[in-house]
Amino acid sequence: MTDRLPGPTKMTDVANADAPQMPLLYKNPVAVSAQHHANVKVKRNRTFRYASKIHAVPVLAEEMPQLQNHYPLVFGPGPSAGVMALLGLRAGENLFLREDFTWAYNAQIPAYIGRYPFILVEMPEDKRLVLIMEEDEEILIRGEGAEGDLPLFKDGKGTKEGEDILNYCVAFNQSARQTQLFCEEVEKLGLLVDQRAEVVTPEGKQLSLSGFRVIDEQKFNELPDETFLEWRKRNWIGLVYAHFVSLGRWQNLIDRLPKGV
């Protein structure tokens, strides 16, 4: 069985109602407002059913040193591709969710998944940043809710919890821009090579995953000294080694395959 990774999605696409493609996980997001979300709260004890059908998710550069311990970290296809964490070996299957849709113990949750259902986008007509969200009833609740749920507004004004969500999204976007710079430089220097993963399940079945790229270690080692020093100043060398280390995590995925696969 052969699967390919999904291609890149621009974060600003969601700000355009006519955009043909939404960012991963988002289907019909709306702007967050006191008028429409006055009594909306975010469930503190969430599940991750919304991520059950994805096998690859974008990651930020700053989280790569932690994620390397759990997931293979690869580069997607295409010139504007970013870094992605592989959550499964087949399309539509996230191997890090338990039966109750909680995340696997001791496995760090990628920031892209933790940010959902919110996202900060730039409105193209005036360059204004707007916080929007997917009105997912499994994450959000209208009314009183349970103890510990996080209100977005109170008495028509934003709450501290709402501000924290906004600040998290701002920090996410800033980190995403830095990640993009790293990926653009890797692409520009021609360090990426196409890769295909061939794995054999405990039952002896062969699975193949394609449509992703990795950094060629020899090409990386042949970088000029001045480039290496510049990358070290920008803390990019550690990102490359995190990527290399993560490529030894394929067994993590194989070990999580359901019996009989």
Side-chain angles (χ1 to χ4, degrees), residues 16-17 21 239:
N16 183 350
Q21 188 179 32
L239 302 182

Side-chain angles (χ1 to χ4, degrees), residues 163-180:
E163 285 294 319
D164 288 344
I165 289 171
L166 175 60
N167 291 335
Y168 181 87
C169 290
V170 170
F172 184 100
N173 279 26
Q174 291 172 343
S175 184
R177 283 192 288 270
Q178 295 304 313
T179 306
Q180 183 180 7

Side-chain angles (χ1 to χ4, degrees), residues 109-131:
I109 301 170
Y112 189 98
I113 291 175
R115 178 189 59 166
Y116 180 89
F118 299 95
I119 186 172
L120 190 67
V121 300
E122 182 179 285
M123 305 304 288
E125 63 273 13
D126 57 8
K127 303 297 183 181
R128 180 169 51 95
L129 293 175
V130 175
L131 182 67

Side-chain angles (χ1 to χ4, degrees), residues 147-159:
E147 183 178 354
D149 290 344
L150 310 177
L152 299 178
F153 298 95
K154 185 176 181 180
D155 299 328
K157 298 181 179 180
T159 61

Side-chain angles (χ1 to χ4, degrees), residues 6-17:
T9 303
K10 293 182 179 179
M11 293 297 116
T12 52
D13 285 348
V14 76
N16 183 350

Side-chain angles (χ1 to χ4, degrees), residues 40-116:
V40 169
K41 295 182 178 181
V42 182
K43 295 180 182 179
R44 180 178 292 275
N45 297 319
R46 71 161 66 189
T47 61
F48 298 91
R49 186 190 299 267
Y50 60 85
S52 63
K53 300 299 182 181
I54 60 173
H55 69 294
V57 64
V59 301
L60 302 175
E62 66 183 42
E63 61 181 334
M64 288 176 65
Q66 291 75 44
L67 297 181
Q68 69 173 341
N69 297 315
H70 310 287
Y71 317 98
L73 304 177
V74 300
F75 293 79
S80 60
V83 186
M84 309 185 81
L86 299 184
L87 310 177
L89 294 167
R90 300 175 298 181
E93 182 179 60
N94 182 348
L95 297 173
F96 286 84
L97 291 187
R98 297 194 289 269
E99 290 185 1
D100 61 356
F101 297 107
T102 55
W103 207 265
Y105 290 119
N106 300 322
Q108 180 165 320
I109 301 170
Y112 189 98
I113 291 175
R115 178 189 59 166
Y116 180 89

Side-chain angles (χ1 to χ4, degrees), residues 185-199:
E185 189 70 11
V186 169
E187 181 78 48
K188 184 178 74 173
L189 294 179
L191 299 181
L192 296 175
V193 294
D194 292 333
Q195 188 70 279
R196 174 188 293 268
E198 305 282 353
V199 301

